[in-house]
Amino acid sequence: MAGKLAVIGAGLMGSGIAQVSAQAGWDVVLRDVTDAALARGTDGIKASYDKFVSKGKLSAQDAEAALGRITTTTDLDAVADADIVVEAVFEKLEVKHEIFRALDKIVREDAVLASNTSAIPITKIAAVTERPERVVGAHFFSPVPMMQLCELVRGYKTSDETLATTREFAESVGKTCIVVNRDVAGFVTTRLISALVVEAAKLYESGVATAEDIDIACKLGFGHAMGPLATADLTGVDILLHATSNIYTESQDEKFAPPELMRRMVDAGDIGRKSGQGFYKH
């Protein structure tokens, strides 16, 4: 399966989705609001392809051909003829609503509108469109070229056909899919990591164990590739605080209530690898 894909948002996630899709033979339109954002996204894609070529995992010709399948634009109307649109913008419902309202008027009736959200209910996003049955969650993982999982989320009105088309697309770009049949905030993966990070942060905050020892416990005791506090630093303490707060607001389940320590870390700018300090110094 290959066709025309539109990706809205050229950040880390959007550019990663564009990269794997172009490599799999999809014609990709990558859209962002500024030329600078698009340039950053395409520079990242080129650098990633170059790395795969240098490691012998991709031929120079295939990398060049894949790059040739990606076009960039600041014009949302340019996505009008896409078979599938994947939105990968900031995790704020108002921002996503703005995008989906516009897409609803622009794209073909039979197009699939997918969101890469990791925590916002798909039903809420779909509600602003006239075609909620064509809206679905397609939650990819970072870094997209390396991570094999795609979490497919069925909104309250998502049709079987939409889910099947999205699964076919995700599998065509090399991903293994899990299906979330009930549209709960945080789905499966964000709920699991949020519960683990919240509990790990509470244990650390109350002096039960060091960050290192909590992470070693998860790696050696449970076979995790990376401990929860190191994961928080990699993902961004601010991103996880936002996600856990979203889930807590929706579910009112105390296990998702982020500890005060995470809020203070974000207030202080200690948000992980990108700031040089989180639960660890980087």
Side-chain angles (χ1 to χ4, degrees):
M1 178 195 193
K4 184 150 188 186
L5 175 75
V7 181
I8 313 298
L12 195 62
M13 294 305 298
S15 59
I17 294 164
Q19 177 183 328
V20 296
S21 302
Q23 196 177 326
W26 286 77
D27 290 317
V28 182
V29 178
L30 183 60
R31 188 265 183 183
D32 211 310
V33 287
T34 66
D35 289 325
L38 290 166
R40 278 195 302 275
T42 49
D43 285 350
I45 292 169
K46 282 178 196 160
S48 187
Y49 282 153
D50 287 347
K51 199 178 283 184
F52 282 121
V53 170
S54 70
K55 288 180 175 175
K57 292 181 177 177
L58 186 67
S59 74
Q61 292 92 329
D62 285 348
E64 199 176 324
L67 268 177
R69 284 190 282 272
I70 300 171
T71 55
T72 60
T73 184
T74 55
D75 180 11
L76 197 59
D77 288 335
V79 312
D81 59 344
D83 300 306
I84 296 175
V85 182
V86 180
E87 164 274 311
V89 302
F90 187 66
E91 284 285 81
K92 224 178 173 65
L93 186 60
E94 307 80 72
V95 181
K96 294 187 188 293
H97 273 173
E98 194 181 321
I99 297 281
F100 276 80
R101 270 195 202 97
L103 289 173
D104 194 32
K105 293 178 175 67
I106 294 167
V107 301
R108 300 195 322 254
E109 273 184 31
D110 63 336
V112 167
L113 300 179
S115 176
N116 181 59
T117 181
S118 59
I120 299 171
I122 298 305
T123 309
K124 281 192 173 183
I125 295 170
V128 298
T129 74
E130 298 292 319
R131 52 173 114 187
E133 70 286 349
R134 305 296 295 171
V135 181
V136 66
H139 176 209
F140 290 83
F141 290 75
S142 182
V144 181
M146 308 303 293
M147 298 290 274
Q148 282 191 293
L149 185 64
C150 183
E151 186 175 34
L152 302 178
V153 187
R154 189 193 283 274
Y156 191 68
K157 293 193 172 179
T158 305
S159 71
D160 291 345
E161 184 196 355
T162 297
L163 194 74
T165 301
T166 312
R167 180 177 208 132
E168 203 180 337
F169 155 64
E171 289 176 347
S172 80
V173 303
K175 303 306 171 197
T176 299
C177 299
I178 66 163
V179 176
V180 180
N181 284 310
R182 201 159 66 78
D183 188 19
V184 295
F187 319 135
V188 168
T189 57
T190 306
R191 281 177 91 94
L192 287 172
I193 191 61
S194 294
L196 191 57
V197 167
V198 163
E199 188 55 38
K202 284 177 180 171
L203 290 169
Y204 174 63
E205 180 182 47
S206 56
V208 171
T210 63
E212 290 86 348
D213 282 357
I214 292 165
D215 280 352
I216 288 169
C218 289
K219 288 199 291 185
L220 302 187
F222 310 137
H224 293 183
M226 184 184 274
L229 299 177
T231 300
D233 275 9
L234 177 65
T235 306
V237 179
D238 54 335
I239 304 286
L240 275 168
L241 176 66
H242 190 65
T244 54
S245 299
N246 265 347
I247 298 169
Y248 177 62
T249 302
E250 281 280 322
S251 67
Q252 293 299 297
D253 187 332
E254 284 298 326
K255 73 171 168 281
F256 296 111
E260 198 171 349
L261 173 68
M262 283 177 74
R263 297 187 188 282
R264 292 299 161 263
M265 287 171 73
V266 172
D267 290 342
D270 287 355
I271 54 176
R273 288 195 188 186
K274 55 193 170 187
S275 70
Q277 178 69 53
F279 289 100
Y280 296 88
K281 191 164 186 57
H282 300 280

